[in-house]
Amino acid sequence: MELFTSSFHIPRGCISASLKQTLWDTTMHVHEFFELEMILGGGGEALVNGVSYPLTENTVFLLTPAHIHEPKCRDTLLINVMFQGEVADPMMALALQDMPVFRLTDDEAAFVRPLLFEIVEVHPSDPAYATLLLHCVLEKLARCQNTIKNEAPPILQRAVLYTLEHFRDEISAEQVARFLGLSRSYFSDLFRREWGVTYKEYLDSLRFSHVCTALSSTDLPIRTVAENAGFRDYANFTRRFKNKFGCTPREWRAR
């Protein structure tokens, strides 16, 4: 499994968009940014967190840094948009993060497709306009799926998006609070009150979820899986994994 960093694809915070004709399979990978793809034609499948989805026309994928994916393309034409969480409307991106695949009707696709083509055209010269168009696309996807926006304060939505992008790093509540311009104590109290868990509990949950997905869908060494999820102390990771799940990571994979 390969990790694509933001510097490999896009400048920090900016949108990168392109029309692609893919004729080959891509290795299983994750990345540090968000990715939206709309299938325009062709065929094949994509594995997202171990689940197979057909690459059919008018299908849209919205992938976060926590999604492990592997496209298997057959002459597939698609529009690809890559962006940092800070670029997207946090309410929209967060509302959509748990539903990576959208199958649009012809009418829905007729609305979304021109916006994506416009993003491809204008993003190098007018990133602010491209960002506005991206907001419209995410809003439309949410309405297509009758997604209800999370009612937590937008500043906490930003905190979660930031965490999704950086959970592999050694981040902490203090670092996230600093990113948001808040004191650590105020951020911690607000997070606990709105989400019902501490920030550390949320971060651990995200990391362990990513570990379980990687153990189930890849053959990477367990130590590498742990490191990719942000666990730097392997002995501590295995002890905490067993306390949480009642088995070792190796036993989990064997099941």
Side-chain angles (χ1 to χ4, degrees):
M1 184 175 70
E2 188 173 0
L3 170 62
F4 293 140
T5 64
S6 56
S7 60
F8 182 80
H9 284 288
I10 51 179
R12 181 68 187 170
C14 293
I15 291 177
S16 174
S18 60
L19 179 66
K20 294 182 177 181
Q21 182 85 32
T22 59
L23 304 173
W24 57 86
D25 295 348
T26 303
T27 58
M28 184 175 295
H29 62 280
V30 294
H31 37 58
E32 294 180 338
F33 46 86
F34 290 79
E35 185 176 41
L36 186 151
E37 290 188 334
M38 182 173 186
I39 309 302
L40 304 179
E45 64 173 338
L47 297 176
V48 182
N49 284 357
V51 180
S52 176
Y53 300 94
L55 297 176
T56 55
E57 184 178 359
N58 296 340
T59 298
V60 175
F61 291 83
L62 180 65
L63 304 170
T64 78
H67 286 122
I68 301 172
H69 50 287
E70 181 181 14
K72 297 179 180 296
C73 303
R74 291 199 301 271
D75 195 15
T76 304
L77 181 66
L78 58 87
I79 296 177
N80 174 277
V81 181
M82 297 178 288
F83 56 96
Q84 301 288 349
E86 64 194 59
V87 171
D89 180 343
M91 298 290 279
M92 284 293 93
L94 189 58
L96 298 170
Q97 68 172 322
D98 292 327
M99 296 183 298
V101 181
F102 305 84
R103 306 191 191 285
L104 305 185
T105 66
D106 289 342
D107 288 342
E108 292 166 347
F111 179 90
V112 171
R113 190 183 299 111
L115 295 178
L116 293 177
F117 273 108
E118 185 79 354
I119 291 174
V120 172
E121 181 70 23
V122 305
H123 81 273
S125 59
D126 196 345
Y129 177 45
T131 298
L132 179 62
L133 294 171
L134 176 62
H135 291 173
C136 293
V137 170
L138 293 175
E139 178 76 37
K140 182 62 174 179
L141 290 177
R143 292 178 180 273
C144 291
Q145 299 290 77
N146 294 317
T147 301
I148 300 174
K149 293 182 183 180
N150 192 299
E151 295 181 356
I155 197 165
L156 288 188
Q157 304 274 11
R158 290 181 60 206
V160 172
L161 288 179
Y162 183 85
T163 304
L164 278 169
E165 290 184 303
H166 297 279
F167 72 93
R168 297 182 179 88
D169 305 326
E170 295 184 25
I171 63 173
S172 63
E174 182 175 2
Q175 179 180 334
V176 179
R178 187 165 56 249
F179 167 76
L180 297 173
L182 304 175
S183 71
R184 184 189 184 285
S185 59
Y186 178 78
F187 167 69
S188 296
D189 291 344
L190 181 63
F191 196 96
R192 186 188 306 109
R193 183 170 67 250
E194 293 293 338
W195 296 107
V197 295
T198 67
Y199 177 76
K200 187 176 187 310
E201 289 171 336
Y202 166 75
L203 177 60
D204 284 345
S205 176
L206 176 63
R207 285 173 167 170
F208 278 118
S209 177
H210 189 71
V211 164
C212 290
T213 298
L215 290 176
S216 301
S217 59
T218 77
D219 58 0
L220 288 174
I222 295 174
R223 184 182 293 272
T224 301
V225 168
E227 291 175 351
N228 285 346
F231 293 106
R232 298 293 184 263
D233 185 333
Y234 184 68
N236 183 55
F237 158 72
T238 55
R239 182 171 57 254
R240 294 182 60 201
F241 189 98
K242 188 169 184 178
N243 288 339
K244 184 176 180 66
F245 297 105
C247 63
T248 66
R250 189 176 302 279
E251 290 168 341
W252 173 281
R253 170 171 276 174
R255 292 177 182 179

